[in-house]
Amino acid sequence: MTQGPIIAGLVLAAGESSRMGRDKALLPYRGRTFVETIVAKLREAGIASIAVVLGHHADEIRRAVTLPGVDVVINRDYMRGQTSSLQKGLAAFEASPGTEAEAINAILLCLVDHPAFESSTVSVLIEAFARTRAAITQG
């Protein structure tokens, strides 16, 4: 029996949400916050290793959400843009004591303002990656 690829989930939620006027991570969606919804859907799809990158209002967001088993990463340079959050998140997988970075085959990247996907979509992406091992897989 062959094991499928090891895929980690990375949720970027460090921005100021300036156009929204309030933190997108905390917006309600079907009984949970955006960030809690995304993490739950990744877990439902079988992704065990998940990191969430926070920046603006990080302390308030951490107090308001429940993210058990998730590596919460703080990007103090969030004003430098989304790439800085991506770099912090990727570095967290390398530094995490419970994650062997070399064992991770892929990262599934999620933006906090897109909670309206199904865990089955994530499963399809995982299957496509397992089949092709393509550098980028999209659904």
Side-chain angles (χ1 to χ4, degrees):
M1 179 173 162
T2 60
Q3 179 182 349
I6 297 172
I7 299 178
L10 178 57
V11 183
L12 302 184
E16 293 181 82
S17 303
S18 57
R19 291 182 304 243
M20 179 61 67
R22 55 192 277 216
D23 295 309
K24 293 176 190 173
L26 297 179
L27 291 174
Y29 184 77
R30 297 184 178 178
R32 293 186 252 205
T33 64
F34 274 27
V35 71
E36 289 168 326
T37 299
I38 292 168
V39 168
K41 289 180 179 186
L42 293 176
R43 290 242 190 271
E44 288 169 15
I47 295 184
S49 182
I50 301 173
V52 172
V53 181
L54 300 176
H56 187 257
H57 291 158
D59 292 335
E60 292 89 343
I61 293 169
R62 284 187 86 167
R63 283 192 298 270
V65 300
T66 303
L67 300 172
V70 171
D71 187 10
V72 177
V73 180
I74 306 300
N75 179 8
R76 303 213 185 283
D77 295 324
Y78 66 89
M79 297 215 35
R80 291 184 54 219
Q82 206 170 58
T83 301
S84 69
S85 293
L86 177 61
Q87 291 169 332
K88 287 279 187 189
L90 293 174
F93 287 121
E94 293 178 6
S96 178
T99 304
E100 293 182 35
E102 59 274 359
I104 295 173
N105 302 114
I107 304 287
L108 191 129
L109 181 63
C110 298
L111 305 179
V112 77
D113 55 356
H114 296 284
F117 64 90
E118 298 302 324
S119 59
S120 60
T121 303
V122 175
S123 297
V124 168
L125 289 171
I126 292 169
E127 290 168 13
F129 176 76
R131 208 173 42 256
T132 65
R133 297 293 173 137
I136 297 176
T137 305
Q138 66 181 19

